[in-house]
Amino acid sequence: LKSSPSLCSGCSRGCAIELHANTRLWHTGGERVARYKPRFNPLVNGYWICDEGRYGYSMHNAERLSRLRRKNAGGYEQLEWDAALAALAGELKAGLSARGAAGLGLVLSGTLSNEDFFLARRLVDELKPGRVLFGPAPEQLGEEDELLRRREKVPNLAGAAAFGFGREIAGASWDELRRDIESGRLWGLYVVDRDPFRVWGADSSELLAKLSLLVYQGPRAVGATGLAHWILPAATHAEEDGTFTNFAGLVQRYEAALDPIRQGRSDWSI
């Protein structure tokens, strides 16, 4: 196993960990990350991590997306990044020109790094989407305790706030997105590492089918992936260098332990 200094992304505390990556995948059934071990940090977690965090490494292994795809009449076609980003930019520009920025929604996740949120802010300032969702409710909230676990089950909400999300940029809710899709106000939705199916349940397919453009960007396949017009494979934080800001405002660095899978790349580079 190869050990790299990293951070637990299971909640907003940001516990320091050693991430142990497999160098001999034939021993582990293809799983690239084998375990998390606590790494001493007197400011955050001392010598400890919780059980939720300790066993949270499966997010680097399960249901990973590795190919960039665009939906066509026959299913999906695979593209290279340069051609895909140019084509997607063209579709976005055409939609904005024909139907307006108010009809575009952007869904962001607290799993994004500070580097990702820096560029996400630039994207919002340029495109001016009508709805921007970034808060964790309801599907990224969970149990907390007085020791380590925080209610927010994502690592970087404070980083989002530092770049103006929740202040200069007003946050939308899933209910608002749903109403806007039902009314026809929203024509496009760009979703980053979130799953509408976890919120809208059985109604998700019907709602998402109303959109002219649905983009899904993330490291793992989710319920909405199969309905997306564009599927953009992203790296996990085990596959990039970056920083998270925990709930107390402490900026912490994590290091890449592995290369991204096939066409996967960091969110900021998409």
Side-chain angles (χ1 to χ4, degrees):
L1 296 177
K2 171 188 173 184
S3 179
S4 300
S6 190
L7 301 171
C8 177
S9 63
C11 79
S12 62
R13 185 169 296 278
C15 290
I17 61 168
E18 291 289 338
L19 186 151
H20 291 180
N22 290 308
T23 58
R24 299 177 180 178
L25 296 181
W26 57 88
H27 286 298
T28 58
E31 291 194 350
R32 285 157 48 93
V33 176
R35 65 188 180 193
Y36 287 169
K37 299 281 282 185
R39 177 166 57 89
F40 178 64
N41 186 333
L43 299 177
V44 181
N45 56 302
Y47 292 97
W48 310 102
I49 55 173
C50 72
D51 286 346
E52 284 181 3
R54 185 183 298 274
Y55 298 108
Y57 63 87
S58 63
M59 53 91 66
H60 300 289
N61 300 319
E63 302 294 331
R64 292 298 305 274
L65 296 173
S66 61
R67 298 295 188 188
L68 193 164
R69 290 173 287 167
R70 175 174 63 181
K71 183 175 285 188
N72 58 28
Y76 281 98
E77 60 177 324
Q78 184 178 323
L79 299 173
E80 297 301 320
W81 275 108
D82 288 347
L85 292 179
L88 177 54
E91 289 188 27
L92 283 168
K93 289 178 181 177
L96 292 168
S97 176
R99 305 181 67 176
L104 178 63
L106 176 63
V107 178
L108 300 174
S109 172
T111 56
L112 295 174
S113 68
N114 288 320
E115 295 72 23
D116 298 328
F117 274 118
F118 170 75
L119 290 178
R121 173 62 193 265
R122 289 179 56 181
L123 182 68
V124 170
D125 289 344
E126 181 175 345
L127 298 183
K128 297 179 172 56
R131 298 288 191 191
V132 182
L133 187 154
F134 48 83
E139 85 284 13
Q140 292 183 335
L141 297 176
E143 294 183 354
E144 62 182 349
D145 57 41
E146 296 181 358
L147 298 174
L148 291 176
R149 296 186 303 164
R150 300 282 301 176
R151 183 168 180 256
E152 311 84 18
K153 299 304 178 183
V154 286
N156 202 31
L157 296 173
F163 288 104
F165 291 92
R167 293 199 292 267
E168 295 96 337
I169 301 170
S173 69
W174 286 104
D175 286 343
E176 288 173 320
L177 290 178
R178 176 176 184 143
R179 289 195 296 268
D180 287 349
I181 293 173
E182 289 175 334
S183 69
R185 179 174 183 264
L186 278 188
W187 55 264
L189 193 64
Y190 195 125
V191 181
V192 182
D193 202 15
R194 303 283 288 265
D195 187 9
F197 276 71
R198 292 186 60 192
V199 183
W200 297 332
D203 296 332
S204 301
S205 295
E206 183 178 352
L207 286 166
L208 296 175
K210 296 177 181 292
L211 296 167
S212 299
L213 178 64
L214 174 61
V215 180
Y216 177 75
Q217 174 180 319
R220 291 167 298 279
V222 298
T225 306
L227 298 174
H229 302 104
W230 286 89
I231 301 172
L232 309 180
T236 71
H237 75 280
E239 300 157 358
E240 64 178 13
D241 296 330
T243 59
F244 292 141
T245 304
N246 78 350
F247 76 99
L250 180 65
V251 179
Q252 301 185 93
R253 180 177 176 80
Y254 56 85
E255 297 182 6
L258 297 160
D259 292 329
I261 300 175
R262 297 195 180 101
Q263 287 184 291
R265 57 167 60 181
S266 297
D267 289 282
W268 62 262
S269 69
I270 299 174

